[in-house]
Amino acid sequence: MRVPLSWLREYVDLPATETGRDVQAKLISAGLEVETVEQLGADLKGPLVVGQVLTIEELEGFKKPIRFCTVDVGQANGTGEPQEIVCGARNFAVGDKVVVVLPGATLPGGFSIAARKTYGRVSHGMICSSDELGMGDDGAHGIIVLPPETEVGKDAIELLELVDEVLDIAVTANRGDCLSIRGVARETAIAYGLPLRDLALIDVPAPNAFGYPVQVSEPFGCDRFTARTVTGLQPEARSPIWLQRRLQKVGMRPISLAVDVTNYVMMELGQPLHAYDRKLVQGTIGVRRAEEGEKLVTLDGVERTLHAEDLVITDERGPIGLAGVMGGANTEIADHEVTEDGVNGTTDVVIEAAHFDPVAVARTGRRHKLLTEASRRFERGVDPQAAAAAAQRTVDLLVLLAGGTAEAGVTEVVAPSAPHTITIPADHPDRVAGVDYGRETVVRRLQQVGCDVYGQDELIVTVPSWRPDLADPNDLAEEVIRLEGYENLPSTLPKPPSGRGLTHRQRLHRRAGRALAGAGYVEAPNYPFVSEQVFDQLGLEADDPARRVVKLVNPLSDEEPALRTTLLPGLLGALRRNAGRGSHDLALFETGLVFHPREEQRVAAHLPADRRPTDEEIAALNAALPEQPRHVAVVLAGAREQSGWWGKGRPADWADAVEAARAVAREAGTELVVRKGQYGPWHPGRCAELVVVADGTERVVGHAGELHPRVLKALGLPERTCAAELNLDALEAAGDGVPRAPRISTFPVATQDVALVVDQFVPHADVEAALREGAGELLESIRLFDVYENAEQLGDGKKSLAYALRFRAGDRTLTVDEASAARDAAVALAGERTGAVLRG
């Protein structure tokens, strides 16, 4: 909502020194979001005057029409002589009054005016259009032609009200009253503690039997309909400059006098109105629901097929307008035109000021993809009591500006309704805000809003008709709090009882994130929505449990209607976007929930809002929700170690993904068993299955390795992209949860290297497990440091695995015999289980 400060001052006697910035600060403090204050004419400098065109000479020989004009500007040029000006516009003639900017002036945008030679003539100034003066769209798309009675030489800056301040307010959906100068002025008056001159409080004649006939068949859709008639309008009458300028400042385009007046009153009082050409309306005006399939050509020239829920205005022929949205072309106000018979145009109008159901207007507007200034206001709530005043204001302006005559007939169809009252304890705002306002302050603030308040400890509050958003005691409490100032609310930190910090699960999630960040990964949270086609791109089998998804009834995007069952689609999408923007060395991670539907589908019950739900109710709600384990995933591409003066770098490979999984498992206090696997998007020969052992039972908790080339092609990923994904909740269940400090021994370590020859199909993990078990308690660590394959030396189908075994005792220095015995025991068990033999 754009609010000119000059218009606002007609409602509230603001101090002359108050600027738009000052008013902005006050309104923001009162809870209105004033986004900007536009300074109109801030860089405009005269002389800018009214001139009268004396002569026009058409210049020939140029690619476009050019005119050399002489213009009378009075004494504004200091000589009284006609001003010579070159102009390319053609929408003015000799005798017209125009706006002239003289040399030495500056137009908006810092454009300085000086005498200059152009098209073979010297132009001493410029004849201006509305765009050149920063006035906005006037519909003419040419030179401003002023009314004939305008005085020559008059200051055009003052005449056109070019200098002003305009507040741009982002009005929330519940404050429809602020979509008007009247509503914003009321908030301004409250903020400054000044009286409000309410132009809606005017004398309105009582309804009588002589008004235009109206029949409302849908009282739930239209609970108030006021009709007034004005006859004898002068078709050639134009909207005065002040009215056009106010419409332009609030962002509307002047059209014709009758339409401009209805738009002006709508912006002033917040009540949408519509003017019908009385000669084109046939019979009684009605309000009803449309018949399915009825046709209506709206004012935008589009033929619309109506729905049975649409609320329409009708006459004897059928629909003549979409109620609260847009009028029909068959009763449109006609612009004046000069013919041989004289001036033709609309001379008699019927003014409609009605109150329509917000839901009906909103649905109609969305159904027909029509968003208008009228529907915007009806959707958010219009003051039903303002309809008669708005109609009277429109009639008065038409009589004043167009020479019309107001007929004595007044039609008003009103559905009976009672004012909305709310009972509220006087100390309720105090308890909501934690501030002792007191009864007097509560009553005063509610009365400023427009409420009628009665009672002592228990207040009976009658809500004003322009605030339909005030529905319960908390709404009233909010009004008191915002007017007293949100900035005056005390800031207090909650005091949690001791011993209630993060849960064990939360601490694990944070530790896992810190471990991955420390290893060089960057966290990349993603939306939990996926398309079902992504499972085909990931190469999942048709019966894979990950394909069973939870679908949303109202997804943000129809392309992604399902909740994710894996973190990989989001992470791989982030990697693809970054790679496409030139970041080729990437290591990303995410921890987040995945969603699996339960075998038994349940409907969640509605929890009570007036009390805390019981444990049973909460448990029943959780049982109806999908299973939501937390996963952790990493993706890598490009270089894992950069090259430099220190040596060559190396690319990321499957081992880095496995090591990331191990780092997370260590944070959970468990060890991963890594063995060859095959699943979904991973390369069959470079995929590790990640297993934990809990209570003697193995459980697969994830996979890691290099992605399949087909997956890389389908998703547009870099070559050799690697990934890992783990079930973090399963890791937590397998771990003991007890943080373990590193053991530091004062005794030296004994290192024994062994090289074992095994069949090529034997997994390294099986060999390592046998060595670890056979070495016993003296083994501190084991590391594979070499894999060697040579058929000539080892034989066909054989490979050599070289391990470094570190032995240490906590109470003594090991002897060579003790270390060798432990090594021999480890080799013996490895040979028994895997067929391994010492190399050489």
Side-chain angles (χ1 to χ4, degrees):
M1 175 67 191
R2 292 170 56 85
V3 180
L5 190 59
S6 58
W7 199 350
L8 193 62
R9 289 182 183 276
E10 291 190 3
Y11 276 83
V12 185
D13 287 326
L14 294 172
T17 57
E18 287 294 287
T19 65
R21 298 289 184 190
D22 298 329
V23 177
Q24 178 189 30
K26 286 283 190 180
L27 292 179
I28 289 176
S29 179
L32 292 185
E33 186 180 349
V34 184
E35 293 185 327
T36 59
V37 178
E38 185 179 350
Q39 306 289 336
L40 300 183
D43 52 355
L44 178 64
K45 187 179 76 171
L48 189 72
V49 299
V50 176
Q52 184 172 21
V53 180
L54 300 178
T55 64
I56 297 177
E57 177 186 351
E58 302 287 346
L59 301 183
E60 304 292 339
F62 300 102
K63 293 182 179 180
K64 62 179 181 178
I66 299 297
R67 308 167 108 188
F68 181 69
C69 312
T70 59
V71 184
D72 178 15
V73 294
Q75 297 299 318
N77 57 6
T79 64
E81 296 294 325
Q83 200 78 3
E84 297 179 339
I85 299 175
V86 175
C87 182
R90 310 192 64 78
N91 67 314
F92 65 97
V94 172
D96 283 345
K97 302 289 180 68
V98 294
V99 178
V100 179
V101 57
L102 301 177
T106 302
L107 293 182
F111 183 62
S112 299
I113 303 299
R116 64 188 184 96
K117 187 173 182 179
T118 179
Y119 297 101
R121 304 293 178 95
V122 177
S123 181
H124 299 272
M126 191 168 72
I127 303 175
C128 298
S129 68
S130 59
D131 288 339
E132 292 163 340
L133 297 179
M135 295 170 55
D137 185 11
D138 63 354
H141 302 293
I143 294 303
I144 301 172
V145 179
L146 300 171
E149 63 272 12
T150 310
E151 178 185 351
V152 172
K154 183 177 179 63
D155 183 4
I157 295 178
E158 178 184 351
L159 175 69
L160 298 177
E161 302 177 10
L162 297 178
V163 178
D164 202 349
E165 295 181 275
V166 179
L167 285 71
D168 193 351
I169 303 175
V171 179
T172 55
N174 66 316
R175 292 303 304 273
D177 60 305
C178 289
L179 287 173
S180 66
I181 304 297
R182 178 196 183 200
V184 176
R186 182 180 294 107
E187 292 295 321
T188 306
I190 295 173
Y192 278 91
L194 297 172
L196 172 70
R197 284 193 297 274
D198 193 348
L199 296 186
L201 301 179
I202 57 178
D203 293 332
V204 177
N208 53 54
F210 309 107
Y212 198 93
V214 173
Q215 181 179 1
V216 177
S217 304
E218 183 63 39
F220 294 105
C222 176
D223 56 8
R224 184 178 296 265
F225 195 107
T226 300
R228 300 289 300 277
T229 304
V230 181
T231 60
L233 300 179
Q234 299 172 6
E236 70 278 8
R238 298 174 54 188
S239 300
I241 293 174
W242 64 266
L243 192 150
Q244 294 187 45
R245 288 296 295 132
R246 286 193 169 177
L247 288 178
Q248 288 173 333
K249 288 177 185 179
V250 298
M252 302 192 75
R253 180 172 63 87
I255 298 175
S256 63
L257 179 57
V259 175
D260 291 349
V261 167
T262 58
N263 287 336
Y264 177 84
V265 175
M266 176 180 65
M267 302 306 296
E268 184 177 56
L269 301 182
Q271 168 65 54
L273 302 108
H274 189 70
Y276 301 93
D277 189 327
R278 184 176 180 179
K279 295 178 182 177
L280 300 179
V281 180
Q282 299 181 11
T284 300
I285 292 178
V287 182
R288 61 169 171 83
R289 298 287 178 178
E291 296 177 5
E292 189 69 36
E294 277 188 303
K295 305 289 186 181
L296 171 66
V297 178
T298 47
L299 288 173
D300 56 0
V302 177
E303 183 181 64
R304 304 185 183 277
T305 302
L306 303 182
H307 189 274
E309 291 185 2
D310 291 337
L311 197 64
V312 293
I313 312 297
T314 64
D315 65 3
E316 291 181 352
R317 297 167 295 177
I320 59 174
L322 281 173
V325 181
M326 183 177 284
N330 51 0
T331 56
E332 182 180 6
I333 299 294
D335 292 334
H336 78 279
E337 60 176 343
V338 180
T339 64
E340 295 180 357
D341 300 330
V343 178
N344 291 333
T346 299
T347 57
D348 302 338
V349 297
V350 178
I351 305 299
E352 166 209 305
H355 183 261
F356 299 110
D357 175 48
V359 175
V361 173
R363 288 178 176 173
T364 298
R366 283 157 179 74
R367 190 177 296 118
H368 295 283
K369 295 181 174 58
L370 270 178
L371 177 62
T372 63
E373 292 290 344
S375 67
R376 185 182 175 207
R377 283 160 176 78
F378 278 123
E379 287 179 20
R380 287 160 175 77
V382 170
D383 181 7
Q385 302 294 334
Q392 182 62 45
R393 177 87 167 128
T394 304
V395 169
D396 293 343
L397 288 173
L398 288 176
V399 170
L400 175 66
L401 302 176
T405 301
E407 289 193 352
V410 177
T411 302
E412 189 164 19
V413 180
V414 180
S417 62
H420 181 50
T421 60
I422 302 171
T423 301
I424 174 176
D427 63 347
H428 183 65
D430 301 10
R431 290 186 283 111
V432 170
V435 177
D436 186 13
Y437 292 125
R439 179 188 177 280
E440 292 185 2
T441 299
V442 171
V443 172
R444 175 172 57 85
R445 288 304 191 182
L446 292 178
Q447 288 175 338
Q448 286 178 333
V449 172
C451 299
D452 291 331
V453 185
Y454 302 96
Q456 292 298 318
D457 295 338
E458 198 80 12
L459 303 179
I460 300 175
V461 181
T462 302
V463 174
S465 57
W466 57 82
R467 291 299 302 274
D469 59 306
L470 302 181
D472 58 46
N474 287 329
D475 294 330
L476 300 179
E478 182 182 2
E479 292 299 297
V480 175
I481 295 168
R482 76 174 181 87
L483 294 179
E484 284 295 305
Y486 292 120
E487 67 277 8
N488 296 324
L489 292 177
S491 298
T492 57
L493 293 175
K495 297 180 180 180
S498 60
R500 294 189 182 179
L502 297 176
T503 65
H504 181 267
R505 184 172 188 247
Q506 291 169 329
R507 287 195 295 269
L508 173 58
H509 299 163
R510 295 194 179 189
R511 288 201 309 272
R514 284 195 295 267
L516 292 173
Y521 291 84
V522 177
E523 187 171 15
N526 294 283
Y527 288 116
F529 312 116
V530 296
S531 65
E532 293 184 87
Q533 289 74 21
V534 76
F535 300 126
D536 296 328
Q537 296 171 327
L538 290 177
L540 299 186
E541 298 291 340
D543 58 348
D544 195 298
R547 285 183 175 270
R548 295 185 61 244
V549 295
V550 178
K551 289 188 177 180
L552 300 176
V553 176
N554 55 341
L556 295 180
S557 169
D558 291 337
E559 297 179 357
E560 296 180 331
L563 291 173
R564 66 189 179 190
T565 56
T566 169
L567 300 182
L568 289 182
L571 270 181
L572 293 175
L575 186 140
R576 180 179 61 250
R577 287 191 298 273
N578 282 273
R581 288 161 175 77
S583 299
H584 302 298
D585 304 325
L586 296 162
L588 309 177
F589 84 93
E590 179 181 9
T591 60
L593 300 178
V594 298
F595 306 86
H596 298 287
R598 296 183 184 272
E599 294 296 334
E600 180 184 355
Q601 300 294 326
R602 302 183 184 181
V603 177
H606 292 284
L607 296 182
D610 57 344
R611 60 174 174 82
R612 183 190 183 281
T614 64
D615 293 341
E616 291 76 14
E617 290 172 331
I618 296 175
L621 176 63
N622 290 331
L625 297 177
E627 294 181 4
Q628 302 176 49
R630 184 174 289 272
H631 281 203
V632 58
V634 301
V635 294
L636 306 98
R640 183 62 177 145
E641 295 179 2
Q642 297 290 336
S643 61
W645 60 265
W646 52 84
K648 294 182 179 180
R650 69 172 182 84
D653 60 19
W654 61 269
D656 295 301
V658 173
E659 181 56 31
R662 281 188 166 131
V664 173
R666 284 193 292 269
E667 295 298 327
T670 187
E671 285 289 334
L672 284 178
V673 176
V674 180
R675 61 194 183 198
K676 183 179 179 181
Q678 183 173 348
Y679 177 70
W682 281 277
H683 193 296
R686 298 167 188 163
C687 174
E689 186 178 72
L690 307 176
V691 178
V692 294
V693 179
D695 299 329
T697 303
E698 290 188 350
R699 177 179 178 183
V700 177
V701 295
H703 294 83
E706 184 179 313
L707 297 182
H708 198 288
R710 285 198 298 268
V711 174
L712 301 182
K713 183 178 180 181
L715 295 176
L717 299 172
E719 292 183 359
R720 311 303 291 268
T721 296
C722 301
E725 183 168 12
L726 288 158
N727 185 329
L728 201 51
D729 288 349
L731 282 179
E732 179 188 10
D736 55 17
V738 178
R740 298 187 184 277
R743 187 180 64 178
I744 299 175
S745 175
T746 59
F747 296 98
V749 66
T751 302
Q752 296 277 347
D753 293 345
V754 294
L756 302 177
V757 178
V758 296
D759 293 330
Q760 284 187 341
F761 62 83
V762 175
H764 139 70
D766 292 349
V767 178
E768 180 182 314
L771 289 173
R772 188 182 299 276
E773 182 180 344
E777 295 181 354
L778 293 179
L779 182 67
E780 182 179 81
S781 67
I782 182 171
R783 179 175 62 89
L784 174 70
F785 66 86
D786 184 55
V787 178
Y788 178 70
E789 296 181 5
N790 188 315
E792 292 182 2
Q793 297 184 16
L794 303 177
D796 292 336
K798 299 293 185 179
K799 65 182 176 181
S800 172
L801 303 177
Y803 295 89
L805 284 66
R806 292 167 58 91
F807 298 98
R808 195 191 316 253
D811 57 350
R812 67 189 187 280
T813 299
L814 293 177
T815 65
V816 174
D817 292 339
E818 288 177 312
S820 298
R823 180 202 63 185
D824 293 343
V827 171
L829 187 59
E832 178 183 336
R833 290 188 176 176
T834 66
V837 296
L838 280 172
R839 180 180 170 187

